[in-house]
Amino acid sequence: MTSHHPGATEVPTAARKSGAPQRAGRIAVATLALLVAAVSARYFTLDPDTFLADQRTVYLAHLAPLLLHIGGGIGALSLGLLQFLPGLRARRPALHRWTGRGYVLAAAATGLGGLLIAPHGLYPPVAPLGFALLAVLTLTTTALGLHHARHGRVPAHHRWMLRSYALMFTAVTFRLWLLALGPTGLPAAAIYASGAWVSWIINLAVAEQLLRRAR
């Protein structure tokens, strides 16, 4: 008859319980990010019918910054997922670095394109200001992440790149905001303009909470 050692069985069980929500969260983030990236790719057909009806004229007049913004966002949403795989960083550091460089270039493209297209956005000045600030913060956090990586400050690099991807994930949360509030009967302008701010503020708040838990 063997003695019972609680630590031998209960600790792994607790670890599994705590790990399950994290895995589910990662799967949800990856699924939504890739879904939005795939849907956004339709803009490259250059079919005006795929553009937002209220923005069709603006988009056609500013195709270059629009496609820079959309293309960069697709690349950053997709490549950013690889950057948070611990196994990739540990086993394939060279691949991690190259995909990281791709992410930085994509984030720079979407930030620059966002800055150029934001002044022409819907419901000024609130929504354009929200998106312009999002673009500035995306460029800033990504630049800081790159800066710390180049100087070998790995923990700081990870923190700033998490913030950068949280801002990038606004492409998802903004759409979820519109879908969630659309049926409420609130004015479209209020939903859109508030989403231009709330969607990325929520993402940054979640990122900061994750960083505090990791300390």
Side-chain angles (χ1 to χ4, degrees), residues 53-197:
D54 293 339
Q55 287 285 84
R56 191 168 294 144
T57 302
V58 169
Y59 286 172
L60 288 172
H62 302 87
L63 269 179
L66 173 69
L67 296 181
L68 183 66
H69 176 62
I70 297 295
I74 292 171
L77 277 174
S78 305
L79 290 174
L81 296 172
L82 299 175
Q83 297 308 101
F84 297 103
L85 295 176
L88 181 66
R89 293 198 301 265
R91 294 192 295 269
R92 302 286 182 86
L95 180 59
H96 174 73
R97 286 193 295 271
W98 279 106
T99 54
R101 292 181 181 117
Y103 173 83
V104 168
L105 289 174
T110 198
L112 178 59
L115 276 178
L116 294 173
I117 202 74
H120 310 287
L122 292 172
Y123 309 118
V126 178
L129 282 174
F131 287 129
L133 184 53
L134 168 62
V136 170
L137 290 174
T138 298
L139 293 170
T140 302
T141 54
T142 305
L144 285 169
L146 176 62
H147 172 75
H148 287 299
R150 291 171 65 91
H151 288 81
R153 295 190 283 267
V154 176
H157 164 66
H158 289 168
R159 289 194 295 272
W160 283 106
M161 294 314 287
L162 178 61
R163 294 177 180 119
S164 172
Y165 194 77
L167 292 166
M168 199 64 57
F169 201 71
T170 301
V172 174
T173 50
F174 178 67
R175 286 167 173 80
L176 293 177
W177 181 266
L178 298 182
L179 286 173
L181 296 188
T184 64
L186 291 171
I191 296 173
Y192 191 96
S194 62
W197 290 85

Side-chain angles (χ1 to χ4, degrees), residues 42-53 56 59:
R42 75 187 191 279
Y43 282 93
F44 284 90
T45 65
L46 302 183
D47 180 0
D49 290 336
T50 64
F51 299 163
L52 291 175
R56 191 168 294 144
Y59 286 172

Side-chain angles (χ1 to χ4, degrees), residues 19-32 81 84-86:
Q22 293 178 359
R23 286 193 296 273
R26 286 195 291 267
I27 291 171
V29 166
T31 301
L32 289 170
L81 296 172
F84 297 103
L85 295 176

